Amino acid sequence: MDMASTTGITRRSLLKRSLMTAAGLSVAAPIHQPVPGYAAGAPAVKGGTLRVAIDSEPLGPDPARPFSRVDRYVDLTIYDTLFTFDEKLRIQPSLVARWETPSATEYLWHLQPGVRFHDGTPFDASAVKFNIDRIQDPKNNSPSRSLLSTVAGVDVVNPTTVHVKLTQPNAGLLSVFADIPGLMASPAAMAKSGSDYLNHPIGTGPFVFGEWVRDEHLSVKRSPSYWRRDPQGAALPYLDGVMFRAIPDMQAKLTALLTRQVDVIDSMPVTAVATVKQQAQYVQAPPLGYVFFFMKVDQPPFNDARVRQALCWAIDRPAIVQTILRGTATVAQGPLPPASWAYDPRFTAYTPRDVGKARQLLNAAGASTLNFSFLYPSEEPFTSVAQVLKSNWAEAGVTANLQQQDFSTLLQNMYAGKFAALMIDYSGRIDPDVSVGSFFATGGLNNAGKYSNPQVDRLLAQARSTSVTTERAFLYREVQRIVMHDAPIGLIYYTALSNGIAKSVRGYQLMADGTIRLTNVWLQR
Amino acid sequence: MLRYVAARLAAMVLVMLLVSACVFVLMRVLPGDPVVAMVGMMDVSASTLAGMRHSLGLDRPLPVQFVVWLGNVAHGNLGVSIRSREPVTGVLLSHVPVTLELAALSLAVAVMVAIPFAMLAVRHHGRWLDRMLTAGSLVGVSFPGFVLALGLIYLMSLRLRWLPPTGYVSPVDDLADNLKLMIMPTLTLGLTSAGLLTRLLRGQLLEEISHGYVRTARAKGATERAIMVSHVLRNALVPFTTVLGNEAGVLLSGAVITETIFALPGVGRLAVENVLNRDLPVIQGVVLWSALLYLSINLAVDLIYGVLDPRVRYG
């Protein structure tokens, strides 16, 4: 493992090293697997309803409310985001057609002209201000508010221009507006529907809300006046509509796909991948999230970095990936996953496994008979992974007392800091400012283990204040090297969402953040 | 009889109050936080979480929360779901018909299998048919419902492609589709209950047959069929009804596994999902519904005893 020894980075050295990083970035290009038929440019056929089976009932299509993974599926049919991102997770225009940065703490957003909400009202600068203000208003208790903490205010310059002021530079901010906080809802519809808005959501997206029968289905139908066109100038979307249906049981969901009751399933058991590949189409997103465990860095025994490093050295991560996940995941080396533009394919940490080194570190730390509680979710694959970890650690003389908890209890303990070590998964975010910053900055939103390193804080702040991607990539790679040495978390494997889709589905895109883009999807008859 | 019913109804109110209080306290004493369950792990600050808890009244003292909830219930308001923001009464009303239909169809299957099978077994008592039916009913009792459900899906959906594996369509929208979707869940629950009921009824019938009144009826020249149907079966139905009532209670409060496997939006699935998500108002609503059902069915069973056996007196 290449350990960081920098104490601070000057502008000059940063430029020099970022040039070297730029060369590496091309190697780091993420894998994107378009579905057959889409890449070949087959002519799209209009019509048909896509039936999508999802894990659970959505929380509801309101951008300011809490959301789950399945909400992203639904929301992106009804709404557009201000920005979007491409396969390499680079920010691209969406409702914001182009943007300027007059200073490090200012943005000027120029909006797509002529876009209207499904209720006929215009999408303009005041609608953008309304939506951002709504998330920031403490009275609304929006969980997305924390992500907008650097937004000082939004001003309407003219109907198609928005001026955004920041409290401090934040190069990752635009990525936040490519996710749920960037969904634009109709202010007029909100005023009209009030507390019943969840049953009458109005956006500018490719589909218009149809109906939501709780625990049965949520349907959307084609917007007749969607503002985007396909490359040939034809109207989008191609589908007549989409029907989302929650099927919680994974086996039942798989059967529904194989018997053509649904066209898309959003998850499947790892044992079913071969069947899906054979009888349908298997799509996997580039890996963005990871399964890992927090260690409580501010308390014994994990306040000693050697103890944390020992646990990391003792884990047989390739075995977990091969035996439990049947090769559907990849071993995690650092918090910058393969889908990220900052990913460094040459970086490795705690590879190969070294139980002897783990024992040495434990002996040096005076923790040769380490014994601790290990919390993890009471569901697969966590339960199997926990068993392997326990036996891996036992080989180094460590006793992990396994404690399964349901997700709600586990999360409560995580937020309250009531654990010694706790395993969980993180879906990842498209910009490292959120996905790396929130875990390793002192007081970061996801820093449950209370890790604090002033050097990491400085590098993260520096990465926030520059908008040059190569510079940022270099800085995040530095952070990666330091935190993997300090080991406040133990990374196990990168997760990549996978979907099963019927053979007739064309143009399907599963993005790294787990969202599906249905604007270009069509059904082959 | 009216006084008996009135007393039982008053006791029901008391029991429901106690059940509500117990569940209210239990759900709040158990670890797990509805707000955290809702937001998951999504970059949320502690102050935002606290704000969300405050807006839902979850930071108020427990007795205050209970009294507020009870006051609302007294006015017919079961509260609002934390996750979906839907009124709990509406949530319950949308899930109850599915469970009612599933329970009614399953009980019908159970009774239609149990009564003829038990009578056939008794008629052929000690012979191979009896032994086969007894063994078959034992398999029915011991066979886990979820295995039967997955087996049915494999056979009917994957192999034969006769039935859709999951989903629900209201009978009002499309009766044929509704029945098609209900066949496998109904067989799953109905056949499991039928095993228990067949064994019970067979035992009861054999006991009744040995009584003196059967011999008397035979001596009077009554046909075997008349003896079985009018005398033996009727008397054997008293304990059968008790167990049937219990089965009805279980089914009506929601068949958790079956509803989950077949993706039926019934009360069972509602309960499980909301326990996992700690959506307290919905859990309270489901518990009230289940308690009300159990108590009502118990009362109904007690009243049916009087119809089946005129010797039973209420007082």
Side-chain angles (χ1 to χ4, degrees):
Chain A
M1 185 173 52
D2 186 8
M3 301 297 177
S5 57
T6 45
T7 49
I9 293 184
T10 63
R11 183 83 191 161
R12 194 187 178 89
S13 67
L14 178 58
L15 275 171
K16 194 176 157 192
R17 291 192 218 177
S18 62
L19 281 174
M20 288 156 66
T21 309
L25 282 182
S26 58
V27 185
I31 323 132
H32 178 65
Q33 301 166 325
V35 166
Y38 180 64
V45 179
K46 274 195 170 251
T49 296
L50 188 80
R51 299 156 303 170
V52 182
I54 48 182
D55 274 341
S56 58
E57 197 65 4
L59 282 161
D62 178 345
R65 289 204 68 224
F67 58 90
S68 62
R69 182 168 65 87
V70 296
D71 282 276
R72 281 195 170 106
Y73 289 9
V74 176
D75 290 0
L76 283 170
T77 60
I78 302 167
Y79 302 104
D80 286 306
T81 42
L82 287 171
F83 298 87
T84 186
F85 56 92
D86 61 17
E87 292 113 36
K88 294 180 178 174
L89 306 191
R90 292 173 303 210
I91 293 299
Q92 299 292 326
S94 179
L95 285 173
V96 172
R98 59 191 180 84
W99 62 96
E100 300 167 52
T101 46
S103 75
T105 54
E106 279 176 294
Y107 280 114
L108 271 180
W109 293 346
H110 301 284
L111 308 180
Q112 294 281 357
V115 177
R116 288 189 171 271
F117 287 108
H118 300 146
D119 60 359
T121 55
F123 164 72
D124 56 16
S126 58
V128 176
K129 179 174 169 53
F130 170 86
N131 277 281
I132 297 176
D133 285 354
R134 189 165 169 261
I135 290 174
Q136 287 201 301
D137 186 346
K139 284 205 294 282
N140 293 326
N141 288 307
S142 171
S144 300
R145 189 161 72 102
S146 315
L147 291 171
L148 304 189
S149 59
T150 53
V151 176
V154 179
D155 295 320
V156 174
V157 178
N158 62 48
T160 56
T161 312
V162 179
H163 181 224
V164 181
K165 289 170 294 185
L166 309 186
T167 54
Q168 61 186 75
N170 184 356
L173 185 68
L174 299 190
S175 76
V176 174
F177 289 110
D179 199 353
I180 298 284
L183 299 172
M184 291 292 111
S186 160
M190 291 232 167
K192 190 176 159 196
S193 302
S195 60
D196 199 31
Y197 179 76
L198 287 179
N199 291 317
H200 309 280
I202 299 284
T204 62
F207 296 92
V208 179
F209 177 78
E211 64 169 355
W212 185 14
V213 183
R214 264 62 168 190
D215 286 334
E216 274 190 54
H217 66 264
L218 189 155
S219 65
V220 295
K221 46 187 190 282
R222 184 208 321 243
S223 167
S225 54
Y226 189 48
W227 58 278
R228 285 186 204 268
R229 302 257 148 186
D230 73 5
Q232 285 73 41
L236 286 170
Y238 301 123
L239 293 167
D240 286 338
V242 185
M243 172 91 81
F244 296 96
R245 189 151 69 86
I247 304 182
D249 186 80
M250 229 183 246
Q251 205 59 45
K253 193 154 55 176
L254 176 68
T255 309
L257 176 73
L258 300 181
T259 55
R260 301 194 188 104
Q261 298 298 308
V262 298
D263 304 303
V264 177
I265 56 173
D266 67 341
S267 61
M268 71 198 79
V270 288
T271 47
V273 172
T275 310
V276 170
K277 279 181 178 167
Q278 195 188 10
Q279 298 187 36
Q281 301 181 75
Y282 176 75
V283 197
Q284 194 170 34
L288 186 67
Y290 35 84
V291 167
F292 69 102
F293 55 94
F294 283 115
M295 286 167 276
K296 206 72 181 23
V297 173
D298 60 343
Q299 282 170 16
F302 296 119
N303 54 352
D304 189 327
R306 291 170 297 187
V307 178
R308 305 194 297 266
Q309 289 161 354
L311 290 196
C312 295
W313 278 117
I315 302 171
D316 192 350
R317 290 173 295 163
I320 290 172
V321 165
Q322 285 311 317
T323 56
I324 298 170
L325 300 152
R326 301 197 180 200
T328 58
T330 41
V331 168
Q333 302 291 351
L336 295 170
S340 172
W341 44 258
Y343 174 62
D344 182 355
R346 290 158 301 193
F347 180 80
T348 58
Y350 306 107
T351 302
R353 179 186 187 219
D354 192 337
V355 180
K357 195 160 191 169
R359 279 186 185 277
Q360 275 173 21
L361 285 162
L362 288 169
N363 285 334
S368 50
T369 54
L370 179 65
N371 190 321
F372 66 98
S373 295
F374 187 75
L375 311 187
Y376 60 99
S378 54
E379 56 189 65
E380 283 297 342
F382 300 103
T383 42
S384 300
V385 173
Q387 293 296 337
V388 174
L389 292 179
K390 184 182 168 78
S391 74
N392 284 171
W393 287 331
E395 287 177 48
V398 174
T399 308
N401 302 305
L402 301 187
Q403 282 183 29
Q404 288 188 30
Q405 294 189 333
D406 70 284
F407 239 106
S408 170
T409 309
L410 188 87
L411 284 168
Q412 192 186 26
N413 284 327
M414 186 195 84
Y415 279 110
K418 289 183 186 166
F419 64 90
L422 179 150
M423 176 164 62
I424 197 162
D425 65 336
Y426 182 61
S427 58
R429 299 289 181 268
I430 60 172
D431 195 281
D433 181 61
V434 184
S435 57
V436 175
S438 66
F439 276 88
F440 305 111
T442 303
L445 294 172
N446 292 324
N447 189 351
K450 305 288 177 211
Y451 171 67
S452 179
N453 182 333
Q455 190 187 352
V456 168
D457 290 345
R458 267 197 303 278
L459 288 167
L460 288 172
Q462 228 175 327
R464 256 194 165 189
S465 59
T466 173
S467 56
V468 182
T469 307
T470 47
E471 285 183 23
R472 295 187 69 211
F474 170 76
L475 291 163
Y476 286 122
R477 288 176 180 187
E478 285 296 304
V479 170
Q480 176 169 257
R481 284 197 295 169
I482 299 168
V483 298
M484 287 315 288
H485 171 261
D486 290 351
I489 64 171
L491 281 166
I492 305 169
Y493 60 88
Y494 294 125
T495 53
L497 285 165
S498 57
N499 288 183
I501 59 175
K503 284 183 172 165
S504 57
V505 178
R506 292 287 180 271
Y508 190 87
Q509 277 181 292
L510 176 63
M511 308 304 284
D513 67 344
T515 54
I516 51 176
R517 303 290 160 89
L518 300 178
T519 312
N520 296 310
V521 168
W522 54 279
L523 296 171
Q524 195 171 47
R525 305 284 160 79
Chain B
M1 167 125 164
L2 274 178
R3 273 181 61 191
Y4 171 78
V5 174
R8 286 287 297 266
L9 288 175
M12 270 169 71
V13 174
L14 196 69
V15 171
M16 283 174 67
L17 203 65
L18 278 171
V19 168
S20 309
C22 287
V23 173
F24 194 91
V25 172
L26 266 178
M27 286 311 298
R28 280 155 179 82
V29 170
L30 284 173
D33 177 340
V35 168
V36 162
M38 189 160 51
V39 298
M41 187 168 178
M42 49 175 280
D43 328 303
V44 186
S45 70
S47 63
T48 305
L49 289 176
M52 290 172 79
R53 276 189 206 103
H54 178 73
S55 70
L56 293 165
L58 296 170
D59 55 351
R60 298 160 94 177
L62 210 59
V64 175
Q65 287 185 44
F66 185 62
V67 169
V68 169
W69 177 80
L70 209 57
N72 287 335
V73 171
H75 289 91
N77 174 10
L78 290 175
V80 175
S81 159
I82 291 175
R83 282 174 82 83
S84 71
R85 307 310 296 153
E86 290 266 290
V88 173
T89 316
V91 174
L92 265 179
L93 287 177
S94 66
H95 287 74
V96 163
V98 182
T99 298
L100 277 180
E101 186 189 356
L102 180 61
L105 289 173
S106 306
L107 284 176
V109 166
V111 171
M112 282 192 301
V113 170
I115 293 182
F117 275 28
M119 289 178 75
L120 212 58
V122 171
R123 194 166 171 176
H124 298 272
H125 180 50
R127 282 179 281 180
W128 67 269
L129 186 61
D130 177 30
R131 280 197 287 273
M132 269 186 65
L133 287 170
T134 310
S137 60
L138 186 65
V139 170
V141 176
S142 349
F143 213 63
F146 74 91
V147 177
L148 184 58
L150 294 176
L152 282 171
I153 289 178
Y154 178 76
L155 182 70
M156 300 286 198
S157 300
L158 271 175
R159 281 267 152 240
L160 302 170
R161 307 255 164 163
W162 284 351
L163 294 171
T166 55
Y168 180 75
V169 175
S170 164
V172 182
D173 295 339
D174 190 330
L175 184 62
D177 263 5
N178 169 272
L179 291 175
K180 231 194 253 177
L181 286 162
M182 290 305 254
I183 290 176
M184 287 196 285
T186 298
L187 284 178
T188 303
L189 293 174
L191 292 180
T192 314
S193 294
L196 176 72
L197 292 172
T198 306
R199 286 182 70 76
L200 179 93
L201 190 58
R202 177 183 168 277
Q204 282 300 317
L205 287 171
L206 285 174
E207 193 187 321
E208 287 299 327
I209 259 176
S210 64
H211 285 167
Y213 71 85
V214 175
R215 204 169 47 241
T216 310
R218 279 199 184 115
K220 281 183 168 180
T223 61
E224 277 303 308
R225 186 188 170 88
I227 293 168
M228 279 302 279
V229 175
S230 311
H231 301 287
V232 177
L233 182 62
R234 186 168 175 174
N235 283 329
L237 280 181
V238 174
F240 180 81
T241 309
T242 312
V243 177
L244 193 66
N246 197 36
E247 288 287 293
V250 171
L251 292 176
L252 285 168
S253 5
V256 173
I257 296 170
T258 307
E259 286 179 2
T260 305
I261 290 179
F262 292 103
L264 291 175
V267 178
R269 196 174 131 198
L270 183 73
V272 170
E273 282 178 4
N274 287 288
V275 165
L276 290 174
N277 292 323
R278 302 290 193 273
D279 198 333
L280 307 170
V282 180
I283 299 168
Q284 288 288 126
V286 172
V287 167
L288 267 190
W289 155 257
S290 302
L292 182 67
L293 259 177
Y294 256 96
L295 295 167
S296 307
I297 288 170
N298 263 331
L299 179 59
V301 166
D302 287 350
L303 296 178
I304 289 170
Y305 287 159
V307 179
L308 291 172
D309 186 348
R311 290 169 303 179
V312 173
R313 289 280 175 270
Y314 301 100

